Amino acid sequence: MEKTHYKQEINMTPELMARINELISHYPEDKRKSALLPVLHEAQDAHENWLSIELQDKVAEILHIKPVEVYEVVTFYTMYNTKPIGKYMFEFCQTSPCCLKGTEDLMDYTCEKLGVKVGETTADGLFEVRGVECLGACGYAPMMQLGDFYKEHLTEDKIDQLITDCRDDKIILHDK
Ligand code: FES
């Protein structure tokens, strides 16, 4: 089967490169690879939350490593996206403490409200629902991650409000 190749416009702005170089500066010159995870986050955040092969190659070039070393990491972690995704990714924690507090029902509720299945993007490109493993905020179950932030003690009313706020462009996704 032929694999879809998603196109992405790559824009390594001076601001983005300054943030990347700052991250790299935390490591010795011969250990630039150690900055790979945070650099990928920066690159992804600056490119509509996904990393094309071309962008991964660019990261490899910046870190002086082989492209395959980047591909391995990007495909291992669920936090990196290799195709275009919804602008607002609702990442529900699906580990036991959150499930006991109703995550599954909330995911069903959210999917029904948005008219998608888990892993699908809404037709307007705005939303996607995903299940992830424990996010370390079990005391605030049920919870999800939205951008860089946690949304905790979720209820159907809170989901409704979040969806409205996203549609009204009132949600901040990144803390920088
Ligand atoms: S089980 Fe959901 S945050 Fe830990």
Side-chain angles (χ1 to χ4, degrees), residues 9-151:
E9 190 175 327
I10 296 173
N11 188 9
M12 306 304 286
T13 63
E15 295 77 21
L16 174 58
M17 283 309 300
R19 289 199 299 274
I20 286 176
N21 286 328
E22 207 274 323
L23 288 167
I24 293 171
S25 74
H26 298 176
Y27 302 93
E29 177 58 29
D30 62 342
K31 299 271 189 297
R32 291 168 75 94
K33 185 183 173 183
S34 302
L36 178 54
L37 267 66
V39 168
L40 284 170
H41 274 300
E42 287 291 344
Q44 181 169 263
D45 289 352
H47 289 85
E48 297 181 324
N49 211 13
W50 71 286
L51 297 151
S52 61
I53 292 291
E54 291 78 8
L55 184 51
Q56 293 175 54
D57 290 348
K58 190 76 195 164
V59 168
E61 183 189 317
I62 290 166
L63 293 177
H64 305 165
I65 58 179
K66 294 190 189 106
V68 69
E69 295 177 85
V70 179
Y71 306 160
E72 286 168 353
V73 168
V74 168
T75 53
F76 180 78
Y77 291 107
T78 56
M79 59 203 179
Y80 301 119
N81 305 302
T82 55
K83 64 179 182 64
I85 60 161
K87 178 177 179 187
Y88 300 104
M89 171 77 84
F90 287 10
E91 294 183 287
F92 286 89
C93 169
Q94 278 188 301
T95 304
S96 305
C98 279
C99 281
L100 287 171
K101 290 285 204 168
T103 288
E104 305 289 340
D105 288 345
L106 282 174
M107 286 177 78
D108 288 346
Y109 176 80
T110 308
C111 285
E112 194 171 321
K113 192 164 168 104
L114 295 173
V116 291
K117 295 195 179 98
V118 172
E120 288 179 353
T121 305
T122 53
D124 59 8
L126 274 185
F127 298 97
E128 187 161 330
V129 177
R130 189 182 275 183
V132 296
E133 297 303 318
C134 179
L135 290 164
C138 322
Y140 307 97
M143 58 80 65
M144 70 153 113
Q145 183 163 2
L146 179 56
D148 292 341
F149 301 98
Y150 284 0
K151 307 295 176 187

